Amino acid sequence: MRGAVMHAPGDVRVETRDDPAIVAPTDAIVRLSATCVCGSDLWPYRGIDPVESPTPMGHEYAGIVEAVGDEVRTIEPGQFVVGSFFASDNTCEICRAGYQTSCVQRQPGAATGGQAEYTRVPLADGTLVATPDVPADDLVPSLLAASDVLGTGWFGAVAAEAGPGRTVAVVGDGAVGLLAVLAATQLGAGRVIAMSRHEPRQELALEYGATDIVTERGDDGVARIKELTGGLGAHSVVEAVGTQESMMQAIRSTRPGGHVGYVGVAHDVQLPGEELFFSHVHLHGGPAPVRRFLPELIDLIWNRRIDPGKVFDLELPLDDAAEAYRAMDERRAIKALLRV
Amino acid sequence: MRGAVMHAPGDVRVETRDDPAIVAPTDAIVRLSATCVCGSDLWPYRGIDPVESPTPMGHEYAGIVEAVGDEVRTIEPGQFVVGSFFASDNTCEICRAGYQTSCVQRQPGAATGGQAEYTRVPLADGTLVATPDVPADDLVPSLLAASDVLGTGWFGAVAAEAGPGRTVAVVGDGAVGLLAVLAATQLGAGRVIAMSRHEPRQELALEYGATDIVTERGDDGVARIKELTGGLGAHSVVEAVGTQESMMQAIRSTRPGGHVGYVGVAHDVQLPGEELFFSHVHLHGGPAPVRRFLPELIDLIWNRRIDPGKVFDLELPLDDAAEAYRAMDERRAIKALLRV
């Protein structure tokens, strides 16, 4: 099969690789319909995370089940499935509490890489969710989005307790931030403030339900959020970047007693304890337990009530994965979809 | 009147000071029945926080209202009242959300110092809660405890979402930690693990409802909590110390999806973002909004259902405040009460 491999920062190649095979009896093999490049794939691409050896890339996936292991009970060949970037048994105490990305059996969801024609998914019964039928082609981008960016934005909004009567601010206008705007709107928030200085992203934020756009960043951004919220700060703030500046911006934009939901992978972030203490905010986040939300998200997409696939503003064949990385690295694309 | 003044680290003197007077029409003057030394008073006493000029000390207070300003409506002279260490209007949006210690009008509750015969309390209507009647003498220590340590331990347990079906661990065996054990038990937690290596404190923890005692600290303490919770960690962990070690111990003792309630004033604490991210815990805390809980806590004390006053294992006259500080600094006393 063909699959993308990162050899070094800035060096992604699509190569012929071995087809994945069933290893454990709980595995499934999925023939991917589409995959994509994640903001977190850019960390090694930019040399911030090390690339120690050639690494098969990709952890977002949706497609048709090709084969399953002997112990797989609920997933069958021929089904169209969406899975999360972490595999989970969905039966342990942590999964049952809704934290499948911290499952006691946690492991990569696309074990052999998701930017490929096929991938092996461990713990298929606990990881994959089947759609009601094989979807129309135009639904595939949105279903793919559910496997990571939508699920992550959604978790950010849930962690920030977005809901009726609450003003929500979103820090970060990448795909996750934009889908956190969509999530906050779906969850019933009356006012959703998107923080963005890029016009095409602002437009999508407005389409997804943002009621206000704030272009300022850092201290000025915080001041603007306070100005829009009677001096108090937002009830709910979603942090969807993962830097020191964005985390502090999120915490400082939140009113005392409010909630910060953070889903940007926190690289080199140190939170000052005393400031956090006196901020009185609730802080919750981490790797989004997408599996918790997948049934609901698939239902919303299937019934065409949400269109998260719009975050893909670049579509390329899998063989052009290198260009997809470049376009995202240079911020020419919000998010690149790879047709398989 | 007589009142305690800190002149320098280690130098607390009880001196004759001016009686406080009504300054704002929303003030009350309270004649204190008892007051006490707080763990946070030890920060300047130990030279960790600066003492820039002679400072009237004390922020925990209970006593009889002596006089009120013209605009005070619900508090009357002759009432026995308990107040919080921060004054609050109890009407702003932040107060109504239950975060009175971040009230938009926040200011010190015992404006002229609480380790004294009298103190001035601003925003009396929003800050003070009257007991049903003048209490029996033996109830005074417990009512005094409600003004800070009980309210703080209670908030820690609430922030950690202690409740039925949840295993709670408490880091810190000072008065706040011990009262967090009491709170967790009152809130219905089935299992409450107190982390303490001091026998008299262990005994009080058991009396307050602890089901397990863990004497290990740091990594060993975390390992022991995991061992007691099927390898997963506690659902709820109360942090009642405020150091880097205790915060990390609390976070690492909590299962993914669990809740850390932190009420130790975080001095020189830096939380590593990436570890926090992957820990999947909820983090909430800060200066306890004691006012939120006072009516309920007074009711529990008044009806003798809880006895938080037992944390006072040393009782001295106000004039011996210096000895009270020394005893707490040297950990000879859990908490010292000063009779006025």
Side-chain angles (χ1 to χ4, degrees):
Chain A
M1 69 166 188
R2 305 285 289 164
V5 176
M6 190 176 291
H7 287 261
D11 181 8
V12 174
R13 304 177 207 163
V14 176
E15 301 173 350
T16 299
R17 300 175 47 214
D18 289 343
D19 286 354
I22 300 286
V23 176
T26 48
D27 284 348
I29 303 298
V30 177
R31 176 163 48 84
L32 302 184
S33 304
T35 179
C36 52
V37 181
C38 180
S40 70
D41 292 334
L42 297 180
W43 293 103
Y45 187 82
R46 290 172 172 162
I48 299 167
D49 284 349
V51 183
E52 273 151 15
S53 58
T55 308
M57 296 299 293
H59 53 259
E60 295 161 275
Y61 56 97
I64 304 279
V65 178
E66 188 81 6
V68 298
D70 287 346
E71 289 177 17
V72 175
R73 295 283 168 268
T74 60
I75 297 296
E76 297 169 14
Q79 285 179 328
F80 187 94
V81 291
V82 184
S84 157
F85 50 92
F86 277 135
S88 53
D89 60 26
N90 213 26
T91 57
C92 76
E93 214 172 312
I94 302 298
C95 281
R96 281 184 281 129
Y99 287 86
Q100 288 90 342
T101 32
S102 282
C103 171
V104 298
Q105 296 199 59
R106 179 175 84 171
Q107 53 195 292
T112 53
Q115 290 160 7
E117 289 181 271
Y118 297 88
T119 196
R120 176 171 65 84
V121 180
L123 303 169
D125 283 331
T127 305
L128 298 170
V129 179
T131 56
D133 206 335
V134 173
D137 234 34
D138 69 324
L139 281 182
V140 170
S142 286
L143 290 166
L144 173 64
S147 88
D148 184 348
V149 275
L150 172 60
T152 296
W154 198 275
F155 175 57
V158 167
E161 305 233 329
R166 289 175 68 97
T167 293
V168 180
V170 177
V171 179
D173 63 359
V176 171
L178 293 167
L179 291 170
V181 169
L182 178 152
T185 306
Q186 286 291 318
L187 290 165
R191 190 169 193 190
V192 183
I193 306 168
M195 304 189 87
S196 170
R197 48 176 63 187
H198 302 88
E199 212 171 303
R201 296 172 187 231
Q202 293 173 358
E203 275 166 30
L204 193 48
L206 291 169
E207 199 172 326
Y208 280 160
T211 53
D212 303 76
I213 301 285
V214 165
T215 55
E216 293 86 349
R217 278 193 198 169
D219 290 348
D220 293 340
V222 172
R224 190 79 188 101
I225 296 288
K226 293 241 166 119
E227 211 176 286
L228 291 169
T229 53
L232 301 177
H235 299 90
S236 301
V237 178
V238 180
E239 194 287 331
V241 183
T243 62
Q244 185 73 28
E245 190 194 9
S246 63
M247 277 298 277
M248 295 318 298
Q249 187 175 323
I251 291 166
R252 292 171 183 160
S253 298
T254 309
R255 67 178 58 196
H259 294 72
V260 176
Y262 67 108
V263 289
V265 182
H267 276 75
D268 299 320
V269 169
Q270 295 284 331
L271 299 181
E274 196 160 347
E275 178 172 349
L276 197 64
F277 183 85
F278 285 103
S279 76
H280 252 160
V281 303
H282 297 74
L283 194 62
H284 184 45
V290 175
R291 179 63 185 80
R292 189 205 307 179
F293 308 110
L294 272 180
E296 182 182 358
L297 300 180
I298 288 174
D299 185 70
L300 287 169
I301 293 165
W302 197 262
N303 295 301
R304 298 181 184 273
R305 289 177 47 208
I306 59 174
D307 192 357
K310 282 194 181 160
V311 295
F312 296 109
D313 55 350
L314 178 66
E315 189 172 321
L316 295 167
L318 173 62
D319 274 336
D320 291 349
E323 166 56 15
Y325 275 80
R326 265 196 303 275
M328 282 183 62
D329 179 40
E330 295 164 8
R331 287 181 75 87
R332 283 185 281 120
I334 300 175
K335 194 164 174 76
L337 180 138
L338 299 168
R339 283 274 176 188
V340 183
Chain B
M1 68 166 187
R2 305 285 289 165
V5 175
M6 189 176 292
H7 287 261
D11 180 8
V12 174
R13 306 177 207 161
V14 177
E15 301 172 348
T16 299
R17 299 175 48 215
D18 288 342
D19 285 354
I22 300 286
V23 176
T26 48
D27 285 347
I29 303 298
V30 178
R31 177 162 48 85
L32 302 184
S33 304
T35 179
C36 52
V37 181
C38 180
S40 69
D41 293 332
L42 296 180
W43 293 102
Y45 187 83
R46 290 171 172 161
I48 299 167
D49 284 350
V51 183
E52 274 151 13
S53 58
T55 308
M57 295 299 293
H59 53 261
E60 296 162 272
Y61 55 98
I64 303 279
V65 178
E66 187 79 8
V68 297
D70 287 346
E71 290 177 17
V72 174
R73 294 283 168 269
T74 61
I75 296 297
E76 297 169 14
Q79 285 179 327
F80 187 94
V81 291
V82 185
S84 157
F85 50 93
F86 277 136
S88 53
D89 61 25
N90 213 27
T91 56
C92 76
E93 215 172 313
I94 302 300
C95 281
R96 280 183 282 131
Y99 287 86
Q100 289 90 342
T101 32
S102 282
C103 171
V104 298
Q105 295 199 58
R106 180 175 84 172
Q107 52 195 293
T112 52
Q115 290 159 7
E117 288 180 272
Y118 296 89
T119 196
R120 177 170 66 84
V121 180
L123 303 170
D125 282 332
T127 306
L128 298 171
V129 179
T131 56
D133 207 336
V134 173
D137 233 34
D138 69 325
L139 282 181
V140 170
S142 286
L143 290 166
L144 173 64
S147 88
D148 184 349
V149 275
L150 173 60
T152 296
W154 198 275
F155 175 58
V158 167
E161 305 232 331
R166 290 176 68 100
T167 294
V168 180
V170 178
V171 179
D173 63 0
V176 171
L178 292 168
L179 291 170
V181 169
L182 177 152
T185 306
Q186 286 291 319
L187 291 165
R191 191 170 191 188
V192 182
I193 306 168
M195 304 189 86
S196 170
R197 47 177 61 188
H198 302 89
E199 211 170 302
R201 295 170 189 233
Q202 292 173 359
E203 275 166 30
L204 193 48
L206 292 169
E207 198 172 324
Y208 280 159
T211 52
D212 302 78
I213 301 285
V214 165
T215 55
E216 293 86 347
R217 277 193 198 171
D219 290 349
D220 293 341
V222 172
R224 189 80 189 99
I225 296 288
K226 293 240 164 120
E227 213 177 287
L228 290 169
T229 54
L232 301 178
H235 300 90
S236 301
V237 178
V238 180
E239 194 286 330
V241 183
T243 63
Q244 184 74 26
E245 190 194 10
S246 63
M247 277 298 278
M248 296 317 298
Q249 187 174 323
I251 291 165
R252 292 171 183 160
S253 298
T254 308
R255 67 178 56 196
H259 293 71
V260 176
Y262 67 108
V263 288
V265 182
H267 275 77
D268 299 322
V269 169
Q270 294 284 331
L271 300 180
E274 197 160 349
E275 178 171 350
L276 197 64
F277 183 85
F278 285 103
S279 76
H280 251 159
V281 303
H282 297 75
L283 195 62
H284 183 45
V290 174
R291 179 64 185 79
R292 189 205 308 179
F293 307 111
L294 272 180
E296 181 182 358
L297 299 181
I298 288 174
D299 184 70
L300 287 169
I301 293 165
W302 196 263
N303 294 301
R304 298 183 184 273
R305 290 176 47 208
I306 59 174
D307 192 357
K310 282 194 182 162
V311 295
F312 296 110
D313 56 350
L314 178 65
E315 191 172 321
L316 294 168
L318 173 62
D319 274 337
D320 291 350
E323 167 57 15
Y325 276 79
R326 266 195 303 275
M328 282 183 61
D329 179 42
E330 294 164 8
R331 286 180 76 86
R332 283 186 280 120
I334 300 175
K335 194 165 175 77
L337 180 139
L338 298 168
R339 283 274 177 190
V340 183

